[in-house]
Every structure is written in structure tokens, then in C-alpha cells.
Amino acid sequence: MAAPKKVCIIGSGNWGSAIAKIVGSNTATNPKFDKTVNMWVFEEMVNGRKLTEIINTDHENVKYLPGHKLPPNVLAVPELLDAVKGTDILVFVIPHQFVGRVCDTIKGHIKSDAVGMSLIKGVDEGPEGLKLISDVIREKLGIVMTVLMGANLANEVAEEKFCETTIGCKSAEHGPMLKEMMQTKNFRVTVVAEADVVEICGALKNVVAVGAGFCDGLGFGDNTKAAVIRLGLMEMIAFARVFCTAGPVSPTTFLESCGVADLITTCYGGRNRKIAEAFAKTGKTIEELEKEMLNGQKLQGPATAAEVHHILQRKNMVDKFPLFSAVYQICFKGLPVKEFVTCLQNHPEHM
């Protein structure tokens, strides 16, 4: 029998801790996996105690996922290189701003046949334009990469409320193993081959959610928000068709949890919507609201809007994506938030 696979979760925020709860429970009872799951925790002091010490003695991430017990086989490790040592499966759950630094640190210290799974919702800007986070990790570390994206608000997953998710995995050999590591009776996994489309959905839906939050802040109601979701989905599909050149982009992937479901949940729940609503109501900057409202977590939507905008500019395609463009202009260029509805009225879909 093959040696049990050792899993490391890189990141321990809200979503990382919720995932640790699932992976810890599954690996504890499945002989295919090593019983101990390392979780890299950026060390910080909480009420005079080290966060790693709190997690390892009280089995709770009191800062980022309070009120939820983590399985005792999840071990918080403050040193990144110690956490990844000897690992077969690396689960990346960190803000996309930190990916480069983390990869540079662990490069050369991980198994060459390790499998990576990115749960990171964002895109990077490469010299050629769009770069998926999984591609950044793959190029830096030289390992096989997969992704997991879905309608998965972290607190609801931690509360074990029923939901679905999508694993994008090009290799038929890794899909079943990753599904076993992740699936529970309340966290249902579908594996699809179009990994790049799955990942693009995960990044772009945050931009649409910022638009949905603007609508909420301006008091436009559910009909307008439904229009934002539909027009946003159309722009997501169009963007994927332009940038996923490796193969066909089938509409069915957008009907998976990573597509329309994640878009809906993020536009009604989620931190991007919440901050965008406050932005429209208060006139404070995105940075100020992030500090005030997110308890140290990072916002992905505005940063992704900026990266998407630069990529579209290079291709002279900004006009074809008025919703994405309006989110960027409002967040970074001082366009009044009330102008957002004009972009909906004059959307090419209505011309």
C-alpha cells in the first residue's frame, strides 16, 4: 500500500481555518492520509498568547474563526519551512498578495512530486497579461497544481451548513484523492477538468460582488442586483473566452458551484459586497474600510478589478467590459459611485 499522504495547509485565516476543520476530520479517519495536518500560521499575539499556542492547546483559531473547534490532529506551525517539510499535498489559502513571497521561501524545500491546490481567489498580472495564481505557484515551485472554488462562505462551511464546491483538476489521477480529502456529507465536491475556467470564476466574481455592494449602498434593491449578477456573469464568460486559450470554454463549467453559485453567494454575502456597500454609504476609502471592518483580513475584489483593468487596457478591450471597468474607476479613479448604474443602463447587452 502507498505511504499515507501528508497534507499541509498554507494559511490560517477565516477560510484556511474552515478548510483545516474539513481536512483534519477527513484525514483523521482515512488511512490514505497521514493523521497530522500541518497548518502554517503567521505568528501573532492574541490577548498576550501566541496564536499557534492557542490553536494547539485550545484547538480554536480565536482570531479568524472564533467559536469553532479544529480537530486535534491539525497542528499550527509558525515556521513555514517546518510546516511544508515532507508534505505530499500543499493547500494554499493565503491572500493573493503573499503568494510570491511564500513560494520563494519554500522553493527547493518541498517534494518534487507534491501536488498543490489553490483556494486563492485572485489573478496576477504577468508580462503577457493575465496570470492565474495557480500558474504563478506552478512556475515558482515546479509542481502539479489544482484549484478549489465554490459558493463557500467560510463561516457557513465551518458551521457545517450544506454547500457544494468545485475542484478544477486537469489530471485524472489526482482528482479522486483530492475529492476524498475534501468531501463531507455537507461539503459536496464535483471535479472538473477546466481548472483555468474554475479559477477565473473564483477571481472575477469578487469584482462583480463589489458592484453588487455598490447597488446595496445606493439602495437599488434586488432587481438591480439581479441585473448586476447577470451582466457580471456575461462579462465573466466573455473574459474567460478571451483569456483561457488552452482549450474550449464550455458554458457548463459556469453552471458549477465555482460559477453562478459562487457569484450569487458572494453578491449577497461575502466581504467584498459588505465593504462596497459601506464605501457607497460612507464615502470612506476602501483601505480605511478594510482596516475598520475586516479584522486583519484582505479584500480581493478591488485588487482583482485593477489587474483585470490593466490586462483589458493592453488588449484595447475595456469598452467590452463596462461593469468590470466601472468597478475599477469607482474604486481607484474617483468616479462617483452613483455613476455605477449608468454603466448598467448603457451596457452593450442592452444596445
Side-chain angles (χ1 to χ4, degrees):
M1 184 167 162
K5 302 285 186 196
K6 186 156 181 55
V7 184
C8 172
I9 296 170
I10 299 176
S12 56
N14 187 235
W15 186 212
S17 299
I19 283 299
K21 192 177 166 187
I22 287 176
V23 173
S25 300
N26 282 346
T27 53
T29 56
N30 187 330
K32 291 181 189 171
F33 298 96
D34 188 294
K35 294 267 181 290
T36 303
V37 174
N38 285 355
M39 176 169 75
W40 175 56
V41 175
F42 183 80
E43 191 68 278
E44 52 190 310
M45 300 301 286
V46 181
N47 300 328
R49 293 171 72 196
K50 289 181 175 172
L51 185 55
T52 51
E53 183 210 324
I54 296 171
I55 292 170
N56 290 334
T57 50
D58 305 346
H59 305 297
E60 184 182 348
N61 187 337
V62 291
K63 177 153 188 191
Y64 296 109
L65 194 67
H68 294 283
K69 287 289 178 197
L70 296 175
N73 61 320
V74 173
L75 180 70
V77 183
E79 291 299 328
L80 181 54
L81 288 179
D82 293 342
V84 300
K85 195 174 176 188
T87 293
D88 300 292
I89 303 171
L90 297 157
V91 181
F92 293 86
V93 212
I94 46 177
H96 85 277
Q97 299 89 319
F98 304 141
V99 169
R101 205 180 322 158
V102 163
C103 288
D104 291 341
T105 304
I106 65 176
K107 190 181 166 124
H109 296 273
I110 54 170
K111 290 183 169 183
S112 58
D113 62 349
V115 177
M117 177 186 271
S118 171
L119 279 64
I120 300 166
K121 295 182 171 175
V123 289
D124 209 14
E125 211 186 325
E128 301 301 307
L130 178 92
K131 205 159 195 191
L132 298 171
I133 300 296
S134 64
D135 288 337
V136 174
I137 300 171
R138 183 186 296 111
E139 284 173 21
K140 283 189 176 278
L141 301 180
I143 60 173
V144 169
M145 283 302 296
T146 63
V147 297
L148 179 144
M149 307 273 154
N152 308 140
L153 296 176
N155 288 24
E156 294 184 14
V157 172
E159 285 157 15
E160 297 178 31
K161 292 178 174 169
F162 178 84
C163 68
E164 303 170 316
T165 200
T166 312
I167 290 177
C169 177
K170 295 188 174 94
S171 120
E173 83 176 282
H174 296 126
M177 171 186 67
L178 296 171
K179 182 169 179 168
E180 275 190 59
M181 178 177 86
M182 285 297 182
Q183 178 156 279
T184 70
K185 69 179 192 305
N186 285 318
F187 191 71
R188 306 308 289 180
V189 175
T190 305
V191 181
V192 302
E194 284 185 9
D196 46 358
V197 179
V198 171
E199 189 169 0
I200 270 196
C201 284
L204 296 181
K205 56 100 196 188
N206 282 328
V207 182
V208 184
V210 173
F214 292 158
C215 282
D216 288 344
L218 295 164
F220 281 130
D222 285 340
N223 293 349
T224 310
K225 195 143 103 173
V228 169
I229 291 171
R230 189 190 77 81
L231 293 168
L233 181 62
M234 300 313 276
E235 291 194 15
M236 285 167 61
I237 295 170
F239 192 92
R241 292 215 160 115
V242 171
F243 292 97
C244 295
T245 49
V249 173
S250 60
T252 51
T253 304
F254 293 92
L255 297 177
E256 294 293 346
S257 184
C258 62
V260 69
D262 196 7
L263 182 60
I264 291 166
T265 199
T266 311
C267 287
Y268 278 90
R271 61 186 88 152
N272 288 281
R273 187 217 63 78
K274 188 165 92 174
I275 296 275
E277 179 182 26
F279 176 88
K281 282 181 171 169
T282 64
K284 291 180 180 175
T285 67
I286 295 284
E287 290 78 13
E288 286 171 318
L289 293 165
E290 192 177 52
K291 280 198 185 77
E292 274 176 35
M293 297 170 67
L294 288 188
N295 187 29
Q297 295 176 82
K298 291 284 174 210
L299 201 63
Q300 302 295 339
T304 304
E307 279 146 5
V308 164
H309 185 77
H310 297 147
I311 291 158
L312 290 172
Q313 256 182 329
R314 280 213 198 103
K315 299 224 176 212
N316 292 324
M317 294 180 76
V318 172
D319 298 351
K320 292 192 166 59
F321 295 86
L323 192 146
F324 289 173
S325 178
V327 168
Y328 167 75
Q329 297 289 346
I330 291 165
C331 287
F332 296 102
K333 294 293 174 192
L335 182 72
V337 69
K338 62 179 183 299
E339 294 295 317
F340 183 65
V341 84
T342 313
C343 103
L344 306 179
Q345 292 161 340
N346 299 331
H347 200 283
E349 285 264 316
H350 300 144
M351 293 305 169

